[in-house]
Amino acid sequence: MTHEKLETAKLGELAFRGATAAAASSILALAAVYAVQMTTNSWESIVRFGWDFVTGTAWDPVSDVYGALPFIWGTVVSSLVALVLAVPLSIGLAAYLSEVAPVRIRRIVEFFVELLAAIPSVVYGLWGIFVLVPFVREHVQPFLQNTLGFLPLFQGPPFGYGMLTAGILLAIMILPIITSLTREALHAVPIAQREASLALGSTRWETIRHAVLPYNKSGIIAAIVLGLGRALGETMAVTMVIGNVPLISPSLFMPGQTVASLLANEFAEVSGGLYLSALTELGLLLFGVTFILNVVTRLFVPLVSRKVGGAAEGRRQLT
Amino acid sequence: MNAATDRYMRLYRRRKLKDQMMTALLRLCVVLALIPLVSILSYVTWRGIGAVNLDFLMKTPAPVGASGGGMANSIVGSGIVVGLAALMGIPVGVLAGIYLAEYGRNNLFGKVVRFLADVLQGIPSIVVGIVAFTLVVLPMQTFSAFAGAVALSMMLVPFVARTAEEAILTVSDDIREAAMALGQPRWRVILSVILHAARGALVTGAMLGIARLAGETAPLLFTALNNRFWHQGLLAPISTLTVQVYTYAIAPFDDWNAQAWAGAFVLLTLILLTNVVARTLARSKYGERS
Amino acid sequence: MNLFEQRRVNENGRAGSVAVGSRAMTLGSAAVAPAPAADIAEVSSSMRAASGASAGAAARAQTSTAPIIAAENLRTYYGHNEVLKGVSLKLPQRSLTALIGPSGCGKTTFLRTLNRMNDHIPGFRVEGKVLVDGRDIYAPDVDPVLLRRRVGMVFQRPNPFPLSILANVTWGLRGHGLSRKEQRERAEESLMKAGLWDEVKDRLKEPALRLSGGQQQRLCIARALAVRPDILLMDEPTSALDPRASTKIEELMLELKKEYTVVLVSHNMHQARRVSDQCAFFLHGEVVEYGPTEQVFENPQDERTSAYVSGRLG
């Protein structure tokens, strides 16, 4: 090989490597763009309202006063309802898949859980409006009122639309991600732990409960937190069933509004000024919280060594 | 000794009962989780198929008050926006994936990028919409198909980067070394041998990414907006299937609601088909992870 | 029920057991004469007696000469892969039987069929019989949980739970209906038997994973002893340990076999020779030779055995 050819080869390598590195940098840049764009565009509102923005309860574009507490309330409450419903179910499902199910049934159920994850948010919302809302109004809410009606949580007229329905719908939507991440967490529990337990004369449930689940607690917590991140930011389905009334009420039967649903409702109608800035600040809040949740869990809980697995891996990420 | 045995047996009966009850409860979890899936799929099919007709697939929306019309423009619009987003996002994502798998496996930059790519996938899509709005819509002073595509591609890049990385990592180092030992520069080895060996998994990843984009609504609400007409260029607002389903779902008109079901049916069919095809492809060609 | 709470009182079993061992000795796989039917019926009736030892009391005095574990033409499969190809063995109680042979010969599989540890492996299947105290443990009405309570196991790698030392030892006592104090006493007793008490008595609340490998393995032995099994299965318990730790475990085995029926899988012929009373040589899923340890090593009947024990065979 002549000297020149060698140079060209080197140049080619350099160019290719540079191109891939540039593409990789774009992900870095993307993160920076998120942070910078959100901050600069909400700066006006941040300066103007300070902490009042998150503690204020009035949201009035006409007089340019913006307090986001009702939306934060709605976001937190609907997500908590979702977690309360989804966490036991997801962990149970993951435990079933990993510890109980025969291979064939496991494959089938996993396939169904993947399908659940692939359904678009807007389809969940549509189903929510026409199936879940009437069902909650006619069956769930009267039932809760009759049995647990003494709790403030379950008082008020059964609208159907509201926090409870949003929470149920969110629970269904975050079930696949919590399930699949929990499943991976359980996958990381050494067989030796299960065998140690069984060999001591434990039943299968005792092995699951006392040897398998506790072994990778942090992995399961990470799964829950990432599920929470999903719930907090979920937009369309919630917007369609929560009622979109900025209320702070102890009752889950009452309508509410979340940060994301407010954005979905109002952002397209804004042209600029303080209103836009305030809406962007809501987005920044959402971004900040989900970013931190993701960073913290992923930093402290390495989510199961990412083994090579191409398509299987893609499947994991989609859920 | 016997007393202890008796006590153990007595307790064991209880333990065994608990074991059986809890196992039953775990099975119940499966049933509970599958009820919504079955319900959604059957409702969408049942109410959707009834409302899908030729008009729906061929026509644009009827004016408010008039009956008939369809979502043809939205279906095409979704194709345009998602296609454009894929065109912008997949090459960047694949290149980034190559970097992560080949050059940045262990260096700090690679680790940071990998980490951020994971974190960004957890950012709500509505936030992506806001950023795209401030990046594209505000400066250009118009909602546009392009803005929608930018929003979607911002979601696509991290996803494709990670799936491409995983896909490339499935190619064993033996192949890498064998090709390099023949005196080829690394970039040529990657382009000719490794991408070729990983192509199935790459295609699967890209298909899954596209399927996911096709179902996104929130990032399009205030970037692509909506449009009652056929597309009018990339710099004009454009209708997409998801936004149209949303609009029609929350509208107080029965025939719009029916069309929303039809739209959902078309959307879900496309997405689930893509998913199933992508996975079957991955499974049949590249074996399955045990 | 004495299926799992039968303490052997008889001390004179050793010589007799070996005799039984030799009687059951076999070259090849299928050559074992079936045990006298009456013998099995008697023992198994004692096993089936659900309430107390009345039926077992008589049997107990007798069974000292009877094998506590007997495999009859045992075949196991992983999917279509036949691992054990008709193994018949009788293991006498209160002695140590070593299973030796090259890797992949089926000795570990055999060991794990004795407490049905292979049950949860997909595609695993058993043909033939495994009798523990005359009772077929693969019979449909046998509860593996109760079986495992009686047949303890120590694994190749120490596998303590990520809990404190004390919590590890008392772990298996869940559901035994013992008070905290009783559990604590049981833990102390087991740790003493496992020769670990002096090393850990002042730090019982410390995480078990802080112990050295050899200590962890002895902790696992203590953990297995705490539920008071009659039989102890040991699957190459020293293979992950350094020589000094191994020696300690070996010394422990010599103590344990006075009180328990120990079945040891060993990759180490010197170890097998040092600690075992009888020895079974496995090859390709069959038992080539089974007899008193001395005989197997000094005067093997089969060419392959002598090749293996002299180091000429894998």
Side-chain angles (χ1 to χ4, degrees):
Chain A
M1 206 185 271
T2 67
H3 188 68
E4 267 166 39
K5 267 192 182 164
L6 203 68
E7 283 301 304
T8 339
K10 259 191 192 160
L11 225 64
E13 175 64 19
L14 216 63
F16 182 74
R17 196 185 164 128
T20 61
S25 317
S26 78
I27 288 168
L28 221 66
L30 208 56
V33 165
Y34 277 48
V36 170
Q37 284 291 323
M38 303 290 290
T39 316
T40 52
N41 280 286
S42 54
W43 194 248
E44 197 184 342
S45 164
I46 294 173
V47 171
R48 177 79 163 269
F49 300 111
W51 287 109
D52 290 349
F53 186 78
V54 286
T55 55
T57 54
W59 184 267
D60 185 0
V62 180
S63 44
D64 255 354
V65 173
Y66 302 102
L69 194 60
F71 315 117
I72 296 171
W73 171 267
T75 307
V76 171
V77 171
S78 58
S79 298
L80 285 184
V81 173
L83 283 190
V84 166
L85 296 173
V87 166
L89 204 58
S90 307
I91 294 179
L93 188 54
Y96 172 80
L97 290 174
S98 125
E99 311 297 322
V100 181
V103 180
R104 187 173 305 172
I105 293 183
R106 194 182 75 210
R107 293 244 168 92
I108 296 172
V109 174
E110 276 176 343
F111 175 73
F112 284 138
V113 173
E114 282 166 13
L115 281 191
L116 209 52
I119 295 174
S121 173
V122 71
V123 175
Y124 275 108
L126 181 71
W127 177 80
I129 291 177
F130 293 101
V131 182
L132 189 60
V133 165
F135 180 78
V136 169
R137 182 174 53 225
E138 282 150 33
H139 301 287
V140 179
Q141 288 179 335
F143 172 78
L144 285 174
Q145 229 152 20
N146 289 336
T147 52
L148 297 166
F150 56 91
L151 293 171
L153 281 178
F154 305 119
Q155 285 169 4
F159 288 127
Y161 289 95
M163 291 287 199
L164 182 65
T165 311
I168 296 173
L169 197 55
L170 276 176
I172 300 169
M173 296 177 72
I174 61 175
L175 183 128
I177 185 176
I178 303 184
T179 302
S180 66
L181 290 176
T182 303
R183 200 115 143 73
E184 288 200 19
L186 300 187
H187 205 71
V189 179
I191 304 272
Q193 291 284 316
R194 298 179 174 89
E195 294 195 331
S197 168
L198 290 174
L200 289 170
S202 298
T203 63
R204 181 163 61 189
W205 167 248
E206 286 162 351
T207 301
I208 295 173
R209 172 68 188 78
H210 299 292
V212 177
L213 291 180
Y215 188 87
N216 199 353
K217 252 185 243 151
S218 56
I220 296 174
I221 290 171
I224 295 170
V225 173
L226 292 181
L228 172 66
R230 286 291 165 91
L232 293 174
E234 175 46 46
T235 309
M236 302 317 299
V238 174
T239 308
M240 292 162 88
V241 300
I242 202 169
N244 295 312
V245 182
L247 276 180
I248 300 184
S249 159
S251 169
L252 297 180
F253 289 6
M254 298 303 278
Q257 187 152 26
T258 67
V259 171
S261 69
L262 180 80
L263 290 169
N265 279 317
E266 300 194 356
F267 208 94
E269 277 132 45
V270 75
S271 54
L274 192 57
Y275 189 21
L276 174 66
S277 185
L279 283 172
T280 313
E281 190 177 349
L282 282 179
L284 179 65
L285 272 180
L286 213 48
F287 172 72
V289 170
T290 48
F291 189 83
I292 290 169
L293 286 183
N294 271 273
V295 165
V296 170
T297 38
R298 286 176 202 277
L299 268 186
F300 291 108
V301 190
L303 286 173
V304 186
S305 64
R306 292 181 154 273
K307 276 170 290 173
V308 283
E313 204 50 42
R315 174 170 60 194
R316 193 191 81 75
Q317 298 207 339
L318 200 81
T319 50
Chain B
M1 210 44 90
N2 241 338
T5 310
D6 284 350
R7 185 170 45 182
Y8 177 84
M9 275 317 281
R10 219 173 37 244
L11 284 169
Y12 180 64
R13 255 169 245 131
R14 213 184 295 163
R15 287 166 61 204
K16 191 166 178 178
L17 193 70
K18 188 167 185 187
D19 181 52
Q20 286 161 343
M21 273 169 48
M22 292 315 289
T23 308
L25 217 58
L26 294 184
R27 294 209 165 89
L28 184 69
C29 285
V30 179
V31 177
L32 284 178
L34 292 188
I35 287 174
L37 178 72
V38 171
S39 173
I40 292 172
L41 293 183
S42 46
Y43 266 96
V44 169
T45 311
W46 171 49
R47 301 195 57 171
I49 279 190
V52 174
N53 52 37
L54 213 59
D55 272 5
F56 177 84
L57 295 171
M58 304 293 287
K59 288 195 171 160
T60 59
V64 181
S67 63
M71 288 195 186
N73 60 331
S74 313
I75 299 173
V76 173
S78 270
I80 291 173
V81 175
V82 172
L84 190 59
L87 224 56
M88 295 191 289
I90 289 179
V92 179
V94 171
L95 277 177
I98 293 174
Y99 181 84
L100 291 177
E102 294 288 336
Y103 299 113
R105 259 190 231 185
N106 293 310
N107 65 24
L108 180 67
F109 179 65
K111 277 181 192 154
V112 172
V113 168
R114 191 173 297 117
F115 182 77
L116 281 177
D118 283 343
V119 169
L120 287 183
Q121 286 181 59
I123 300 301
S125 58
I126 187 104
V127 169
V128 180
I130 296 177
V131 175
F133 177 89
T134 62
L135 273 180
V136 184
V137 177
L138 274 188
M140 296 177 84
Q141 288 298 310
T142 175
F143 298 104
S144 64
F146 176 65
V150 168
L152 293 187
S153 67
M154 283 163 62
M155 301 180 63
L156 191 58
V157 169
F159 176 80
V160 172
R162 293 293 276 128
T163 43
E165 180 195 3
E166 307 288 354
I168 292 167
L169 283 177
T170 56
V171 180
S172 99
D173 278 342
D174 296 349
I175 296 185
R176 253 175 215 99
E177 281 165 13
M180 304 250 284
L182 294 171
Q184 292 282 319
R186 185 145 189 200
W187 65 276
R188 204 170 288 159
V189 172
I190 293 170
L191 282 182
S192 58
V193 181
I194 293 176
L195 289 191
H196 186 76
R199 69 190 186 285
L202 284 171
V203 170
T204 301
M207 281 173 79
L208 292 178
I210 288 172
R212 192 159 71 155
L213 290 194
E216 283 295 344
T217 317
L220 300 174
L221 283 176
F222 34 87
T223 51
L225 206 67
N226 203 345
N227 198 327
R228 282 189 39 225
F229 307 103
W230 291 103
H231 70 99
Q232 296 153 324
L234 295 180
L235 298 183
I238 193 167
S239 179
T240 51
L241 197 47
T242 47
V243 175
Q244 191 70 351
V245 168
Y246 169 61
T247 313
Y248 276 17
I250 59 174
F253 312 116
D254 283 346
D255 54 337
W256 282 20
N257 294 161
Q259 290 211 13
W261 282 105
F265 177 72
V266 172
L267 184 66
L268 204 55
T269 308
L270 289 175
I271 288 176
L272 294 188
L273 263 183
T274 316
N275 264 280
V276 170
V277 169
R279 281 177 188 145
T280 333
L281 210 77
R283 243 162 249 181
S284 62
K285 269 193 183 163
Y286 305 95
E288 206 171 334
R289 188 169 63 167
S290 59
Chain C
M1 191 204 277
N2 36 20
L3 174 58
F4 29 82
E5 195 64 35
Q6 202 169 24
R7 313 297 304 168
R8 310 276 144 185
V9 230
N10 195 318
E11 268 300 338
N12 68 354
R14 282 284 302 289
S17 327
V18 175
V20 172
S22 357
R23 176 163 58 103
M25 179 183 101
T26 166
L27 309 176
S29 47
V32 162
D39 191 59
I40 288 179
E42 183 190 356
V43 181
S44 69
S45 80
S46 89
M47 303 320 313
R48 279 173 216 281
S51 54
S54 52
R60 211 172 285 173
Q62 274 199 18
T63 44
S64 59
T65 51
I68 187 168
I69 300 171
E72 294 175 7
N73 196 18
L74 178 67
R75 293 170 186 274
T76 65
Y77 305 82
Y78 294 110
H80 295 293
N81 190 12
E82 189 178 22
V83 181
L84 295 182
K85 300 165 185 170
V87 169
S88 298
L89 272 182
K90 294 189 176 185
L91 312 183
Q93 61 167 309
R94 281 162 169 268
S95 67
L96 196 152
T97 308
L99 313 177
I100 59 169
S103 29
C105 65
K107 54 193 192 302
T108 292
T109 301
F110 177 75
L111 190 77
R112 289 167 62 94
T113 55
L114 300 183
N115 67 343
R116 294 188 51 174
M117 215 56 199
N118 286 324
D119 281 17
H120 64 269
I121 294 173
F124 179 78
R125 200 154 49 81
V126 171
E127 282 172 13
K129 273 186 180 168
V130 181
L131 306 177
V132 171
D133 271 345
R135 174 134 194 222
D136 182 3
I137 60 170
Y138 282 93
D141 61 329
V142 167
D143 186 334
V145 173
L146 297 181
L147 172 74
R148 290 177 192 136
R149 221 223 103 178
R150 250 202 98 200
V151 185
M153 186 167 202
V154 176
F155 296 83
Q156 194 167 356
R157 300 191 154 271
N159 55 355
F161 298 112
L163 302 168
S164 73
I165 294 169
L166 183 64
N168 261 281
V169 186
T170 58
W171 205 93
L173 299 176
R174 197 189 312 277
H176 285 231
L178 299 177
S179 71
R180 195 167 279 259
K181 187 163 159 282
E182 289 170 307
Q183 291 196 10
R184 172 77 189 229
E185 285 164 6
R186 190 78 77 88
E188 185 173 335
E189 168 198 312
S190 317
L191 284 167
M192 279 180 173
K193 280 188 187 168
L196 192 62
W197 175 249
D198 291 333
E199 290 160 67
V200 301
K201 63 179 180 221
D202 299 323
R203 46 178 184 143
L204 291 172
K205 299 283 181 192
E206 275 184 31
L209 294 170
R210 216 175 275 169
L211 297 173
S212 73
Q215 288 174 322
Q216 287 188 13
Q217 193 62 301
R218 277 179 287 147
L219 178 67
C220 291
I221 294 173
R223 184 174 68 181
L225 297 182
V227 297
R228 296 200 169 147
D230 293 328
I231 300 166
L232 193 60
L233 310 178
M234 305 183 98
D235 185 5
E236 303 192 21
T238 60
S239 67
L241 305 179
D242 62 60
R244 268 182 58 198
S246 301
T247 310
K248 276 205 163 152
I249 304 253
E250 274 182 31
E251 286 165 2
L252 186 54
M253 290 179 200
L254 294 174
E255 285 302 309
L256 290 174
K257 71 177 183 182
K258 294 178 189 162
E259 205 178 334
Y260 301 90
T261 305
V262 183
V263 187
L264 169 75
V265 164
S266 185
H267 62 297
N268 179 335
M269 273 178 293
H270 302 291
Q271 179 182 71
R273 191 167 181 178
R274 279 194 296 269
V275 300
S276 69
D277 302 303
Q278 52 281 324
C279 195
F281 172 52
F282 279 69
L283 190 65
H284 305 313
E286 297 178 5
V287 175
V288 171
E289 183 151 357
Y290 177 48
T293 300
E294 252 186 50
Q295 182 191 317
V296 170
F297 280 93
E298 299 292 339
N299 185 20
Q301 310 286 306
D302 191 286
E303 176 53 30
R304 291 166 293 177
T305 314
S306 71
Y308 182 75
V309 298
S310 63
R312 278 180 284 133
L313 183 77

